Amino acid sequence: MVTVELLGPLRVAVDGRPVELPAGRLRALLAVLAMSAGRTVGTDRLALAVWGTGTGAGGSPGANVRTNVKRLRRALGTAGERLIEARPGGYLLTADPDRVDALRFGRLLDEAAADPAAERSRLAAALALWRGTPFDGIRSDWLERSVGPALQERYLTALERRIDLDLAAGSGQVLTDLADLAERHPLRESLWVRLLRALESAGRPAEALERYETIRRRLAAELGADPSPELRQVHARLLTGDAPPVPRAVPRQLPAAVAGFAAREAELTALDALLPQSDGTRSPSIVVIAGTAGVGKTTLAVHWTHRVADRFPDGQLYIDLRGYDPSQEAVRPAAAVRELLDALRVPPHRMPDSPAAQAGLYRSLLAGRRMLVLLDNARDAAQVAPLLPGAPGCLVVVTSRDHLTGLVMTYGAHPLTVDLLSPEDARRLLAARLGHDRIAAEPEAVEEIVRRCAGLPLALAIVAARAAIHPAHPLSALAAEFGDALGALDRAVDVRAIFSWSYETLTDEAAARTFRLVAGLHPGPECTPDAAASLMSVPVERVRAPLAELTRANLLTEHTPGRYAGHDLLRAYAAELCAARDDDRDAARHRVVDHYVQSAFAAAGHLHGRTETIALAAPRPGVSVTGFAGTDAAMAWFENERPALLAALDLAAGLGLDRQVCRLAGALFVFLHRRGRWHDRAETQRAAVAAARRLGDPVEEARACRNLAAALADLGRFDDAHHHLDAALEQDVPSGQAWTHYFRDLVYGFQGREADALDAARRAHDLFERLGDEVGQAVALTDLGWYHGRLGDHGQALDLCEQALVRHQKLGNRPYEAHTWSCLADLRLQQGDPAGAVPCYRQALDVFRELGDSYGEASTLAHLGACHHLAGDRPAAGEQWRHARALLRELDPSAFDQVHAQLTTVDGSAADAFRGRR
């Protein structure tokens, strides 16, 4: 298997191993073949693309191409002969087009254009493939002049579409991104049009006019041209003040509707009858869609809510309450309320602390609004009740296996029971999935399939998937195969028998075992190929085909590329199979835990500054470890895998893998801080403390205790934090004690106890110095400088921080370098020199952004705003604070209060202005 990456410098891998091609024509030859992977490329076209003429250095085109194809095969190693096949008139690269990033990029963009529901995810996946200039380092006039510009145009067009979606969603970061893009592509007027409109919508027309003048002068100087009519139109509107109203951002959270929805006409009619009538009659505020597992409750609810979404102009909220998930506990009502408040973009400083107050805020926000709320997979009425609006106007749709009679009795919910499909509706569903002609051609076979599926939509969907995979197979053969596998079933169909038939028709044991282990054992809601490979104890290349087969068979779903999930009934069935057939399931669980530990440890290496050294055992045999190109990739992986990582930590504790619990909690520590998920950080560290105590390892326990102390300090629980630091000091060795004193200085700093913090920082520095720990000395030196400044000794403070900065830069400790730049800026601000602070803050901001540290970035932007505020530049201050608040909205609610408290120590009026701006 070959992978070719062309959207940046050329990267080639054969069977997972990197291959370095020599500079020259071989790179161009492979690139041209790769751009037509799976299709024959004519010899003349190859010669023209590689050499720019019909011949190379001499001789016929065919001879030159043959010679270089031989060289390329040798360069690709033993697999070269099978990877490049000779075909009549040319050559073919035997590669899956999805293994060529440029072709995958095009496919994802085509899917984004064709499916509005998946547009955002497909755009994100496509843009993530882009690493730089296409074909960088490949010499080919054809690629450079023809293919490259076309790819670049598609990339920019996709970027603009993503920006349009972000603007429509009210993203706070989009203005910054737009400004950066406009500067990087200074003559692309469509980007400037978007930038001017965004500034206008943000209430910044003066800045928009300045930007217009910038692009007007640039076009005149470089192209001798006037702005486009669209740019001039925006300019004219800015001059007259005739701006369109700013649209209010509303949540649009409904999942994608299922393709091929059919039948359920009676249920749809009943649901439509619940909508407001023309005479003004109000609709019931709650609808409960109940029915047995697999009957299609969610499919019906999603289809209908999409159909009526335009009736609810204030938006649609969605949450999966996971009431019957076999691998995870149901979502607690308090956690669900927080998710819904996040969707409503509640600023952190408005988020109350108590769950009851958060539920009250949620009801207040929905009062007077017309919103649709879809609560999927509810377990019971108690889980749903806190999520109900308190006033009419909104419509809540709940799906559950339970009839939730408590909601009907107490809140007047309207019940709608979803039954098994009638034979006629079952035929309609099959026709929608397989086509009317195929259904009409074999009516007897269709009747047999309908009879045996007994009206269960999930069963029909699985059978339809099987038929769709084999379009040439007659349905009669499928029905006979189906009948042999199932025997006679009545309407009380055992859904496991349907699953069993689909499972038994898998092509080989690899696909079957993949289903059992991935659907039955994986701890999180979605599984990646690396995690699946670890469960299976095989190289990752060997799970891609089984995962694809399971997706085609409807036993797994791939909602986003490379992330596989299963219906909870299928997961329960897979767990039953696994318990009966796989004696090594505990070993598989151990491997998947190790996958997450090893991968998280690798990702954390891109986030952590250099601090204490922690040993990690080598991966278990059969474990695949995810690799990361840099900080952005590591942060994205952590973000996507967070639910699975937290589930893996629980699994590790349940399996008695206490060392792994400690390692995984430690790997998550910095990520959860940077993303402001401080409650999660505290819970993971509590698990680590408990695991370390079970291990009887005092060093491990001390490390977990000080990490827990830092997490508790972020939450304002200072007494508890000091208690755990005391426990750490009792358990620890000298090197750990130095870090415990350092953590103590942080907690004191949060409390405003600068003298105590200075004493703790001094103790930490002295211990680090005795131990010869240069990293620790530099870290403590920064804090010594900071606290000297807080106590009024600014000269000593600047000297110490500047010393620390040099040491961090020498050691390559980027996170602490950013922290020290920020401290230097704060010190200058304390001295009444906001102009001198700004360059230091900007240095810190650059590093925080490089590291993906959202909290550090938000704090620095808030302080930059304070500098502008103190200088009298209120518009500039407001711009920085807008960006800061947009970031803080994504973090823990207490993050805003922390940043506000920091600004209070700088200037009370700046802090008040920061809090007061909405």
Side-chain angles (χ1 to χ4, degrees), residues 256-269 271-272 289 295-307 416 418 421 425-434 436 457 461:
V258 174
F261 181 88
R264 299 295 187 201
E265 293 302 324
E267 290 86 349
L268 290 170
T269 299
L271 289 168
D272 286 341
I289 300 177
V295 80
K297 301 179 295 295
T298 297
T299 300
L300 171 64
V302 170
H303 177 82
W304 182 70
T305 51
H306 272 288
R307 197 163 85 166
L416 176 69
V418 180
L421 290 173
D425 281 345
R427 286 190 291 273
R428 288 179 184 168
L429 188 150
L430 289 174
R433 301 290 179 94
L434 301 177
H436 291 280

Side-chain angles (χ1 to χ4, degrees), residues 16 26 92 114 122 130 222 275 307 326 565 584 600 616 644 683 812-813 854:
L26 294 190
L92 174 145
R122 294 295 189 265
W130 204 267
E222 297 189 30
L275 291 169
R307 197 163 85 166
D584 64 340
L616 180 67
E683 290 303 316
N813 204 343
S854 300

